[in-house]
Amino acid sequence: MIIDTLAAAAGNPLYPAAIRKMLATIIESDPYSLPAGHYQVQGKQMFFNVAEGETRPLENQKPEFHRQYLDIHIVLDGNEVIGAGVRGLPLDLSEPFNDAHDLGFCAAIPGETLIHLQAGELAIIFPQELHRPMSTCTTPAALRKIVAKIDSALL
């Protein structure tokens, strides 16, 4: 897991080329003015969604993980808490893994850490890392964000 700002991350030479490409594409697209929707970058290997919704209490969000895709959660407007766990935690499924959506849910994140993101900040979450996005520790509020997906084969 990596926490950064959109502006700094796009030019970070330590990040894999696929991550830099995704972030540069998002910046070039003027993300703060993009309407909600799905955007292709490189077919099914790289794409992103602009989402508008409301955060939910952390305890109401199911921990999730992906097997194939890396997530980049970028806050455009509002504040988001993402519950997160270190790589290597047991991935005890609470329901069958959804291969079509590359999505598995677990009951809990042992030793959970909270990531607090504000507008312009991001979290890069690698495959097999448990996380609970769209959360809050206070009152639910509006959130506008991007969730970018990169096929781990490109890393």
Side-chain angles (χ1 to χ4, degrees), residues 38-138:
H38 181 77
Y39 298 86
Q40 295 282 2
V41 176
Q42 189 176 314
K44 291 184 178 184
Q45 290 188 305
M46 295 177 71
F47 58 91
F48 66 93
N49 296 299
V50 177
E52 297 173 348
E54 188 170 272
T55 58
R56 296 182 187 157
L58 181 70
E59 62 273 9
N60 294 350
Q61 297 290 73
K62 293 186 209 176
E64 64 182 61
F65 71 96
H66 312 288
R67 291 178 177 158
Q68 179 178 355
Y69 288 96
L70 165 151
D71 279 358
I72 305 175
H73 295 259
I74 306 166
V75 174
L76 299 174
D77 188 34
N79 294 288
E80 178 179 23
V81 172
I82 299 176
V86 297
R87 186 170 170 81
L89 289 174
L91 301 174
D92 299 324
L93 290 168
S94 58
E95 55 194 76
F97 191 86
N98 184 328
D99 288 310
H101 292 103
D102 186 39
L103 183 61
F105 291 105
C106 295
I109 302 175
E112 186 171 25
T113 297
L114 301 182
I115 300 168
H116 295 263
L117 298 176
Q118 302 173 45
E121 296 178 338
L122 61 83
I124 301 172
I125 300 170
F126 292 88
Q128 311 293 330
E129 291 182 336
L130 283 167
H131 57 289
R132 289 200 273 180
M134 294 289 295
S135 300
T136 183
C137 294
T138 60

